[in-house]
Amino acid sequence: MRDDGQEEGGGGGVLTAGNILITGAPGTGKTTLIRAVAEGMAGVAGFYTAEIREQGRRTGFELVGFDGRRALLAHTGIRGRHRVGRYGVDVAMFEAFLAAAPFSGAGVRLVVVDEIGKMECLSPRFREMVTSLLDGPLPVVATVALRGDSFIEGLKERPDVRLVVVTEANRDALLPVLRLEAASLAGEDKAHMPPRRPGG
């Protein structure tokens, strides 16, 4: 189910799927948006990806868990066979981070993943985890690459996913809509949700 964010004032329709995937071109603010959606919500598990900058230049990416843990994902100084562009990807570190992450358990009501992209998908464990999370009982809000391999494109076509395309023009308008939808999925503030639009 696709929502390009252009209809009804840039916010799109109201959620009729169980998971939300946010996509868009690099630099449109997907990470900023998903962090703002999760901010202040109780019961959020998962992680986001932060840039590493050295002397004003981006040199890598760090994983930041909502439980406070951090781990290196990729860096220009990493050598090895797992590479995306000029970055070496530490797949072993990433998989160790995933293994210790509390994606379920008491109190968890919403899973947030940033992002489902080329670097992350070098990990077989990550691919399996994403499929399991989307198949599972907890709602998922995640960012996903605008273009990807058959795995990434297949996730976007799932019937239980609402695909939201973020642009610089609609990003600010999407935030309150997605916060309401995420809260509804997590079981919060249902009384304040607008009614579902007929036909999805």
Side-chain angles (χ1 to χ4, degrees):
M1 183 189 314
R2 178 181 173 124
D3 183 349
D4 63 8
Q6 299 300 318
E7 60 187 29
E8 296 193 2
V14 176
L15 189 66
T16 57
N19 304 292
I20 304 171
L21 294 185
I22 301 167
T23 193
T28 51
K30 297 188 297 294
T31 295
T32 299
L33 179 60
I34 202 169
R35 288 182 63 184
V37 167
E39 184 178 6
M41 287 188 62
V44 174
F47 65 91
Y48 62 89
T49 306
E51 291 184 352
I52 299 172
R53 289 190 171 269
E54 299 171 16
Q55 299 180 336
R57 183 169 177 262
R58 189 175 69 189
T59 57
F61 299 91
E62 181 183 35
L63 304 162
V64 183
F66 287 99
D67 59 350
R69 294 180 311 112
R70 292 175 177 263
L72 182 66
L73 173 62
H75 198 274
T76 54
I78 294 177
R79 301 289 177 253
R81 65 186 182 92
H82 298 296
R83 304 197 64 80
V84 175
R86 62 194 182 95
Y87 302 103
V89 182
D90 193 334
V91 173
M93 179 73 75
F94 182 38
E95 293 192 339
F97 178 88
L98 295 176
F103 289 107
S104 61
V108 177
R109 295 189 291 183
L110 181 73
V111 177
V112 173
V113 176
D114 172 53
E115 77 169 335
I116 305 169
K118 191 171 183 179
M119 288 183 180
E120 294 81 1
C121 286
L122 290 173
S123 162
R125 178 188 288 270
F126 178 72
R127 289 173 178 256
E128 292 171 3
M129 184 203 76
V130 167
T131 301
S132 178
L133 287 172
L134 291 173
D135 288 342
L138 293 173
V140 176
V141 178
T143 60
V144 64
L146 183 62
R147 296 179 182 86
D149 61 13
S150 59
F151 173 75
I152 287 175
E153 296 306 314
L155 296 179
K156 297 175 186 177
E157 298 299 325
R158 288 176 60 115
D160 58 353
V161 157
R162 177 160 104 90
L163 184 64
V164 179
V165 182
V166 61
T167 66
E168 291 184 3
N170 71 5
R171 182 179 57 215
D172 292 342
L174 281 173
L175 176 57
V177 174
L178 292 177
R179 281 186 64 88
L180 281 172
E181 293 181 354
S184 177
L185 288 173
E188 297 181 359
D189 299 328
K190 287 188 175 179
H192 297 93
M193 287 292 294
R196 289 186 176 183
R197 189 177 60 198

